[in-house]
Amino acid sequence: MSKNFVFIGLFGSGKTEVAINYALKLRQDYEKVAIADVDTISPYFRTRDVVDELTLKGLKVITPPGALKHADLPIVTGAVAGYLNNPDYKTVLDVGGEENGVVVVGYLKPHLKDAEVSMVINTRRPFTSNVDGIVKTYEQLSKIAKIKIDYLINNTNLSVETTKEIILEGEKIIKEASKILNVPVKYTVIPDFLEDFETEFPKFWIKRFMKMDF
């Protein structure tokens, strides 16, 4: 298993929720797990906004210090690189997906020698609603971040209005993009308020921590 895990995705993809839940999943098997909030784009849905709750659940949450915690600024502290290099910690990065956001991944690339990078996709968002859009987004983010994206994650959702049909519809679209890109789909995400159902790809159940997704 990799030491570090990077989650990128466009605004509205739900990558923050996926990153948080993945960190909690790691915490079930590893004593020391950190999640670093390096989303420099979205001032609305960020890991730093639920730091107290995540800390109580045993995660080390890396955020900008003090008054800078809620600043809408591109702040990446030296502590992020420290945890990425610390062999005792599994570290998760929550990264903004727009052009200025994934630049952070390029900045941290020297510290990502043992990292798995996943692109979180919500096919109910405009730029990733079809195969062409997903392929274009993948190519753009890969080029800007200057790093290989290892997996796609199907997180098709409409927040609390998400249904089984919506998720499966997204799975079909992302499956086609996966074939074109030759990049595997790691998970199909299912919110915990839905009942279990069959999916083509491995299921990843999540609890929502953000107040809203869009």
Side-chain angles (χ1 to χ4, degrees), residues 65-82:
L68 296 178
K69 178 179 176 182
H70 296 289
D72 300 333
L73 300 170
I75 300 167
V76 179
T77 67
V80 175

Side-chain angles (χ1 to χ4, degrees), residues 138-178:
Y138 176 95
E139 292 173 344
Q140 287 179 333
L141 297 187
S142 297
K143 181 178 179 180
I144 297 165
K146 299 178 182 178
I147 199 167
K148 179 179 179 291
I149 298 174
D150 303 296
Y151 294 102
L152 307 180
I153 294 178
N154 172 30
N155 188 37
T156 300
N157 74 90
L158 282 176
S159 190
V160 296
E161 297 180 7
T162 302
T163 64
K164 174 182 74 173
E165 290 74 21
I166 287 172
I167 293 172
L168 293 178
E169 178 185 88
E171 195 174 58
K172 290 179 181 179
I173 296 170
I174 293 171
K175 178 182 178 180
E176 291 304 310
S178 171

Side-chain angles (χ1 to χ4, degrees), residues 34-79:
I35 181 166
D37 181 354
V38 291
D39 187 344
T40 63
I41 299 299
S42 171
Y44 304 109
F45 315 108
R46 299 182 294 196
T47 301
R48 68 190 75 171
D49 297 325
V50 290
V51 58
D52 293 338
E53 184 176 359
L54 298 183
T55 299
L56 288 173
K57 292 181 179 293
L59 298 180
K60 171 62 181 178
V61 185
I62 310 162
T63 67
L68 296 178
K69 178 179 176 182
H70 296 289
D72 300 333
L73 300 170
I75 300 167
V76 179
T77 67

